[in-house]
Coordinates of all heavy atoms in Angstrom, one line a residue:
G241 N -10.5 -3.6 -4.8 CA -9.2 -2.9 -4.6 C -8.8 -2.9 -3.1 O -9.4 -3.6 -2.3
G242 N -7.7 -2.1 -2.8 CA -7.2 -2.1 -1.5 C -8.2 -1.5 -0.5 O -8.3 -2.0 0.7
T243 N -8.9 -0.5 -0.9 CA -9.8 0.2 0.0 C -10.9 -0.7 0.5 O -11.2 -0.8 1.7 CB -10.4 1.4 -0.7 OG1 -9.4 2.3 -1.1 CG2 -11.4 2.2 0.2
D246 N -9.4 -3.4 2.9 CA -9.2 -2.9 4.2 C -10.5 -2.7 5.0 O -10.6 -3.1 6.1 CB -8.5 -1.5 4.2 CG -7.0 -1.6 3.9 OD1 -6.4 -2.5 4.4 OD2 -6.5 -0.7 3.2
H269 N -3.1 4.3 5.8 CA -3.8 4.9 4.7 C -5.2 5.2 5.2 O -5.7 4.6 6.1 CB -3.8 3.9 3.6 CG -4.4 4.4 2.3 ND1 -5.7 4.4 2.0 CD2 -3.8 4.9 1.2 CE1 -5.9 5.0 0.8 NE2 -4.7 5.3 0.3
M318 N 0.2 -1.3 8.9 CA 0.6 -1.6 7.5 C 2.0 -2.1 7.4 O 2.8 -2.0 8.3 CB 0.4 -0.3 6.6 CG 1.4 0.7 7.0 SD 0.9 2.4 6.6 CE 0.1 2.4 5.1
N322 N 2.7 4.3 2.4 CA 2.5 4.7 1.0 C 3.1 6.1 0.8 O 3.4 6.5 -0.3 CB 1.1 4.7 0.6 CG 0.1 5.3 1.5 OD1 0.1 4.9 2.7 ND2 -0.5 6.3 1.1
D347 N -2.1 -4.0 6.0 CA -2.3 -3.4 4.7 C -1.0 -3.6 3.9 O 0.0 -2.9 4.2 CB -2.7 -1.9 4.8 CG -2.9 -1.3 3.5 OD1 -2.2 -1.6 2.5 OD2 -3.7 -0.3 3.4
V349 N -0.7 -3.3 0.6 CA -0.9 -2.7 -0.7 C 0.5 -2.3 -1.4 O 0.7 -2.5 -2.5 CB -1.9 -1.6 -0.7 CG1 -1.9 -0.7 -1.9 CG2 -3.3 -2.1 -0.4
Q350 N 1.3 -1.6 -0.6 CA 2.6 -1.1 -1.2 C 3.7 -2.1 -1.4 O 4.6 -1.9 -2.1 CB 3.1 0.1 -0.4 CG 2.2 1.4 -0.5 CD 2.2 2.0 -1.9 OE1 3.1 1.8 -2.7 NE2 1.1 2.7 -2.2
S370 N -3.8 -4.7 -3.7 CA -4.4 -3.9 -4.8 C -3.6 -4.1 -6.0 O -2.4 -3.8 -6.0 CB -4.5 -2.5 -4.4 OG -5.0 -1.7 -5.4
H372 N -3.4 -2.5 -8.9 CA -2.8 -1.4 -9.7 C -1.5 -1.0 -9.2 O -0.8 -0.1 -9.8 CB -3.8 -0.3 -9.9 CG -4.1 0.6 -8.7 ND1 -3.8 1.9 -8.6 CD2 -4.8 0.3 -7.6 CE1 -4.2 2.4 -7.5 NE2 -4.9 1.4 -6.9
K373 N -1.1 -1.5 -8.0 CA 0.3 -1.1 -7.5 C 1.3 -2.1 -8.0 O 2.5 -1.9 -7.8 CB 0.3 -1.2 -5.9 CG -0.9 -0.4 -5.3 CD -0.8 1.1 -5.4 CE -2.0 1.8 -4.8 NZ -1.9 3.2 -4.7
Ligands
PLP890 C1 -1.3 1.6 1.7 C2 -2.5 1.7 0.8 N1 -3.6 1.1 1.3 C3 -4.8 1.2 0.5 C4 -4.8 1.8 -0.7 C5 -6.1 1.8 -1.4 O1 -6.0 1.0 -2.5 P1 -7.0 1.1 -3.8 O2 -6.5 2.3 -4.5 O3 -6.9 -0.1 -4.5 O4 -8.4 1.3 -3.2 C6 -3.6 2.5 -1.1 C7 -3.7 3.2 -2.4 O5 -2.9 4.1 -2.6 C8 -2.5 2.4 -0.4 O6 -1.3 2.9 -0.8

Side-chain angles (χ1 to χ4, degrees):
T243 300
D246 281 327
H269 189 273
M318 69 206 318
N322 49 300
D347 178 328
V349 166
Q350 290 293 338
S370 175
H372 71 114
K373 310 291 179 171

